[in-house]
């Protein structure tokens, strides 16, 4: 199979307008999580990583975004910046356009006194609207599979390119913190009353976040930069355990991690670090620790980026994969913000300090409601 390269990317989040701004902020230990006082979202204060008032407008930098929702604006700004890094002709039909999200324009339910037109709520309709903004000729695709959506969208793009259906793919994803989303997690009593602390003994639950991210992939080596990262093999599994509770054994995520490494021709010793889902909920972190052991990766550095971005749902797999890609290029292992003392039953090597080490590969994992899991290997071009 021909290689699939990452040739451009972008992150739009509270920490910055570009990937460079976001990566610099993360390396400096900055977090987008702040105490929020928005009574339109919650009657009580809560912690989340949300765009500050006026921040999205400042990011637009003159782009005409009138008539687009906040969710759509995030997608457009992210795609726009990523496309500016390439010379792709997206009007020839050989470039796939894939959108990942869990909730899309769900905020319209809160903003309108009457039920909004169905078309405004349909994920595919939103994808078509954003695709039309850029004059994509290929019909867009939507990947919406809980919180693995972002990484699954990258895996879908890789498989479509490998099948010869496309030469390139623009993969983008976003989600927005809304009253609907926040109240849903609050109903599970899963929202932390402080910034989340993945894998820590004192963790109290998830912190939500919002943002968008885009990666552009190609099978053409001539378009790849000198320090290109290759999208290697990925795998998907399901716990078949509970609609909102993960596996108690970690066997299914562990299987996906092993298959991703095996199909990439790698062993655990080849992995530089594991970018875990790390939501800081009691059961997720425990499940992931077991999965890491079952995959033979207990000695590899492990980090979670939720302390920087919160849980961005359908954008999480993309945002975190991009930060991981740049960490791999910089030969850097990012610390897990908020982590102090290990709080899972199986020992894992949680990264607590910014370190530099030679490495060629890293493994990204995600998990979500419904028991879905995904894992993917990203590798430096050799």
């Amino acid at each position: 199979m021909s290689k699939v390269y990452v040739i451009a990317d972008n992150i739009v989040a509270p920490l910055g307008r570009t990937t460079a701004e976001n990566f610099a902020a993360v390396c400096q230990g900055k977090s987008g999580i702040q105490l929020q006082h928005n009574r339109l979202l919650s009657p009580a204060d809560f912690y989340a990583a949300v765009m500050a008032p006026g921040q999205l407008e400042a990011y637009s930098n003159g782009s005409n975004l009138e008539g687009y929702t906040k969710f759509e604006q995030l997608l457009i700004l992210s795609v726009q910046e990523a496309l500016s890094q390439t010379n792709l002709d997206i009007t020839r039909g050989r470039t796939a356009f894939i959108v990942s999200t869990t909730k899309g324009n769900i905020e319209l339910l809160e903003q309108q006194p009457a039920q909004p037109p169905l078309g405004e709520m349909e994920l595919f309709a939103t994808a078509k609207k954003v695709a039309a903004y850029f004059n994509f000729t290929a019909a867009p695709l939507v990947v919406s599979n809980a919180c693995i959506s972002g990484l699954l969208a990258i895996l879908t793009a890789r498989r479509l390119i490998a099948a010869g259906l496309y030469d390139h793919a623009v993969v983008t994803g976003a989600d927005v913190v809304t009253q609907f989303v926040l109240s849903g997690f609050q109903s599970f009593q899963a929202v932390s009353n402080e910034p989340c602390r993945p894998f820590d003994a004192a963790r109290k639950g998830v912190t939500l976040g919002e943002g968008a991210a885009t990666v552009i992939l190609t099978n053409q080596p001539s378009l790849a930069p000198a320090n290109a990262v290759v999208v290697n093999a990925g795998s998907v599994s399901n716990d078949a355990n509970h609609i909102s509770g993960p596996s108690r054994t970690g066997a299914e995520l562990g299987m996906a991690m092993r298959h991703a490494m095996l199909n990439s021709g790698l062993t655990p010793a080849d992995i530089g670090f594991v970018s875990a889902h790390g939501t800081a909920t009691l059961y997720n972190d425990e499940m992931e620790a077991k999965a890491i052991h079952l995959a033979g990766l207990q000695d590899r550095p492990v980090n979670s980026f939720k302390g920087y971005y919160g849980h961005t749902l359908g954008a999480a797999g993309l945002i975190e994969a991009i930060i991981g890609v740049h960490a791999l290029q910089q030969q850097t292992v990012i610390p897990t913000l908020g982590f102090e003392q290990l709080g899972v039953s199986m020992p894992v090597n949680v990264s607590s300090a910014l370190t530099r080490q030679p490495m060629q590969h890293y493994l990204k994992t995600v998990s979500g409601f419904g028991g879905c899991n995904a894992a993917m290997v990203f590798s430096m071009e050799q």
Side-chain angles (χ1 to χ4, degrees):
M1 185 183 113
S2 61
K3 294 179 179 179
V4 175
Y5 304 89
V6 177
I7 60 171
D9 58 65
N10 185 56
I11 298 172
V12 176
L15 285 177
R17 169 70 176 80
T18 65
T19 297
E21 291 176 2
N22 277 269
F23 187 71
V26 167
C27 288
Q28 294 165 15
K30 296 180 180 179
S31 174
I33 298 172
Q34 302 289 333
L35 184 62
Q36 308 295 325
H37 311 284
N38 190 336
R39 294 296 176 262
L40 295 176
L41 297 181
S42 174
D45 293 350
F46 63 98
Y47 281 92
V50 300
M51 308 295 286
Q55 188 174 16
L56 195 56
E57 289 78 3
Y59 283 174
S60 66
N61 196 25
S63 299
N64 182 12
L65 299 179
E66 185 177 353
Y68 294 91
T69 65
K70 181 179 181 180
F71 167 70
E72 294 160 357
Q73 290 177 26
L74 283 167
L75 290 174
I76 289 170
L77 291 174
S78 181
V79 172
Q80 189 174 62
E81 171 61 26
L83 282 174
S84 73
Q85 302 168 26
T86 76
N87 295 314
L88 291 184
D89 181 358
I90 59 175
T91 65
R92 293 179 54 240
R94 296 294 297 172
T95 303
F97 183 62
I98 303 177
V99 176
S100 74
T101 185
T102 65
K103 298 297 184 289
N105 275 324
I106 196 70
E107 63 179 334
L108 293 177
L109 289 176
E110 304 161 14
Q111 296 173 350
Q112 301 188 22
Q115 183 175 348
L118 184 60
E120 295 182 33
M121 300 295 298
E122 291 179 343
L123 299 183
F124 183 68
T126 299
K128 286 180 63 177
K129 185 177 179 181
V130 175
Y133 183 93
F134 295 100
N135 296 318
F136 276 94
T137 52
L141 302 173
V142 175
V143 175
S144 184
N145 189 6
C147 297
I148 76 168
S149 298
L151 196 66
L152 183 57
I154 299 175
L155 177 57
T156 300
R158 180 184 186 272
R159 290 174 174 174
L160 289 172
I161 292 173
L165 298 176
Y166 299 95
D167 297 320
H168 326 284
V170 175
V171 183
T172 187
D175 264 313
V176 176
V177 174
T178 68
Q179 183 185 50
F180 180 91
V181 172
L182 178 60
S183 63
F185 278 89
Q186 287 173 333
S187 71
F188 286 119
Q189 299 183 356
V191 179
S192 176
N193 62 356
E194 63 180 16
C196 64
R197 303 172 64 177
F199 296 104
D200 191 78
R203 66 189 185 276
K204 298 179 180 179
V206 71
T207 300
L208 295 177
E210 62 186 19
T214 301
V215 294
I216 300 181
L217 311 178
T218 186
N219 60 7
Q220 299 183 15
S222 61
L223 299 179
N227 62 339
V229 167
V230 173
V231 179
N232 227 316
S235 180
V236 178
S237 67
N238 194 278
D239 299 339
N241 174 64
H242 190 273
I243 189 64
S244 61
S247 165
R248 296 298 188 263
T249 67
E252 296 77 19
L253 175 58
M255 177 177 65
M257 296 166 76
R258 292 195 305 274
H259 285 180
M261 290 185 288
L262 177 65
N263 294 331
S264 298
L266 303 174
T267 67
D270 297 316
I271 302 300
F273 66 93
V274 177
S275 173
H277 193 49
T279 62
T281 61
L282 180 65
Y283 292 120
N284 175 88
D285 292 8
E286 177 69 12
M287 181 276 288
E288 282 200 275
K290 293 176 179 176
I292 289 166
H293 270 258
L294 291 170
L297 291 159
Q298 60 271 18
D299 296 327
R300 302 289 84 199
V302 173
N303 58 23
S304 166
F305 299 138
K306 296 296 190 294
Y308 303 94
Y309 292 99
H311 192 348
T312 53
L313 307 183
L318 276 162
I319 290 174
E320 295 167 15
I322 290 170
I323 294 296
V325 162
H326 284 262
L328 183 63
Q329 290 174 321
Q330 298 298 322
Q331 304 286 277
T332 300
V333 178
I334 306 295
T336 300
L337 197 62
F339 174 80
E340 294 180 2
Q341 180 181 352
L342 190 66
V344 289
S345 63
M346 302 296 287
V348 289
N349 184 18
V350 180
S351 174
S352 58
L354 189 75
T355 58
R356 301 190 183 277
Q357 64 182 41
M359 50 187 169
Q360 292 293 124
H361 318 274
Y362 94 89
L363 179 71
K364 174 68 191 139
T365 70
V366 285
S367 298
F369 285 171
C372 53
N373 307 289
M376 174 170 279
V377 174
F378 295 83
S379 303
M380 294 291 294
E381 167 71 328
Q382 298 184 39

